[in-house]
Amino acid sequence: MKNVGRCVILAVVGALLAATLSLVGTTDWADGVRETVKKARAERRARMEAQARAENVVPKGADSVQNVGKEASGKDGAISSKPKGPKAKPPQLTGEALAQGGSFLLIAGLSAAFSGGVLAISRRATRRRRRKEKK
Amino acid sequence: MNRLKKNKIRVDVLLFVATLALNLHKLSGDAIHEWIGIAFIPVLIWHLLLNWDWIVGSCRKFFGPIPAIVRFNWIWDFLLYFVIAGTIFSGILISRVFLTSLGVSIENDPFMSFVHKRFSAWLIIMTGIHLGVHYRWIFGIFRREDASEKSVENAERKELSE
């Protein structure tokens, strides 16, 4: 019963934080971010399209090289009858995927070592100071 | 080793493994990433409930004469909670598998996708620092039981009472 009350407190705090984030999402800055992200996505799509044309490869979901990129964007001219909208990416065992996990361990490990090191040094300094004060 | 400490270790290991798995997004794919993210929520709540005494104790004494490290820990942990809540919230809003399985369809918001990426990147560093400032507790697990009982189990209580 005690834990239920605690969970409610955590949920309320979490909801407040989520509401703050939603509120930030309505600002002009968020609109600017949306535009930037959309632009970056369009550029990436265009790059993929150009690459596919160069290699003459039709990616999954596109009916022809001419329609590459259109199936996801939902623009007119796409012949594909497949459902539109974002698709879940399947798992891929690649070097890039493993590097992602490796970089997590490396960055988290370095951050932990740094903060732990700083803390250990400051604790040692405090102990030394107290010892000197006693003397 | 008492039951509480055993539970804390189990939950912390589970949280770390889940965080690592969540960061292997390209390896796991979207579906597994999203379900691990959802499973992460109860584990995080469990972690907070197990450390509730510390949360309440540090909240009560926050403006009192407590060591700077305890105050830093409190602020850092609150920020970490904010970033985790933001990552989960934005992750749910941009999810493809989880929301579909619930029969909910929300338009993918590029802002939430931006927030999810940024927050998850910060989360790695923040988690690392969170682990670093609790290094005494973590290393205490590997020490002898009696030594850990005396020095590590009560370390945070001592810090608060100093």
Side-chain angles (χ1 to χ4, degrees), chain A residues 10 34 89 96 100 112 123, chain B residues 26 30 81 109 128 159:
Chain A
L10 289 173
R34 276 188 195 100
K89 287 171 196 162
E96 199 187 352
Q100 202 180 31
R123 273 180 178 149
Chain B
K26 282 179 185 163
D30 278 347
Y81 186 62
D109 186 359
E159 276 181 347

Side-chain angles (χ1 to χ4, degrees), chain B residues 110-124:
Chain B
F111 175 69
M112 286 302 166
S113 155
F114 167 82
V115 168
H116 191 68
K117 274 182 189 163
R118 281 290 157 94
F119 275 23
S120 53
W122 292 346
L123 207 54
I124 299 173

Side-chain angles (χ1 to χ4, degrees), chain B residues 55-76:
Chain B
I55 297 169
V56 173
S58 56
C59 277
R60 278 187 186 148
K61 296 180 179 178
F62 187 75
F63 294 106
I66 52 167
I69 185 65
V70 179
R71 199 168 282 133
F72 170 81
N73 265 342
W74 191 92
I75 295 167
W76 195 258

Side-chain angles (χ1 to χ4, degrees), chain B:
Chain B
M1 197 183 287
N2 62 31
R3 208 177 134 201
L4 179 71
K5 193 176 175 186
K6 270 184 189 169
N7 275 341
K8 278 186 180 180
I9 294 166
R10 273 187 208 128
V11 172
D12 290 353
V13 168
L14 206 60
L15 265 183
F16 185 76
V17 171
T19 313
L20 179 62
L22 284 169
N23 278 283
L24 289 167
H25 180 205
K26 282 179 185 163
L27 188 70
S28 61
D30 278 347
I32 295 171
H33 175 78
E34 286 175 22
W35 286 114
I36 293 173
I38 294 300
F40 186 85
I41 301 168
V43 184
L44 176 72
I45 292 171
W46 193 9
H47 172 77
L48 293 171
L49 290 177
L50 286 174
N51 293 289
W52 195 261
D53 290 339
W54 184 87
I55 297 169
V56 173
S58 56
C59 277
R60 278 187 186 148
K61 296 180 179 178
F62 187 75
F63 294 106
I66 52 167
I69 185 65
V70 179
R71 199 168 282 133
F72 170 81
N73 265 342
W74 191 92
I75 295 167
W76 195 258
D77 289 353
F78 180 78
L79 284 175
L80 192 59
Y81 186 62
F82 174 71
V83 172
I84 290 174
T87 311
I88 292 170
F89 178 67
S90 57
I92 289 171
L93 287 185
I94 60 167
S95 70
R96 290 156 181 175
V97 181
F98 174 67
L99 283 182
T100 313
S101 70
L102 293 178
V104 181
S105 87
I106 297 175
E107 202 185 330
N108 196 324
D109 186 359
F111 175 69
M112 286 302 166
S113 155
F114 167 82
V115 168
H116 191 68
K117 274 182 189 163
R118 281 290 157 94
F119 275 23
S120 53
W122 292 346
L123 207 54
I124 299 173
I125 299 168
M126 291 181 81
T127 308
I129 292 173
H130 180 70
L131 290 174
V133 292
H134 290 100
Y135 78 96
R136 288 213 307 198
W137 191 88
I138 296 163
F139 288 142
I141 297 165
F142 305 106
R143 280 186 210 144
R144 283 187 303 126
E145 198 180 316
D146 56 339
S148 63
E149 286 286 329
K150 285 175 187 172
S151 63
V152 183
E153 185 72 9
N154 296 321
E156 287 176 347
R157 275 185 223 154
K158 276 179 188 173
E159 276 181 347
L160 279 170
S161 61
E162 264 175 25

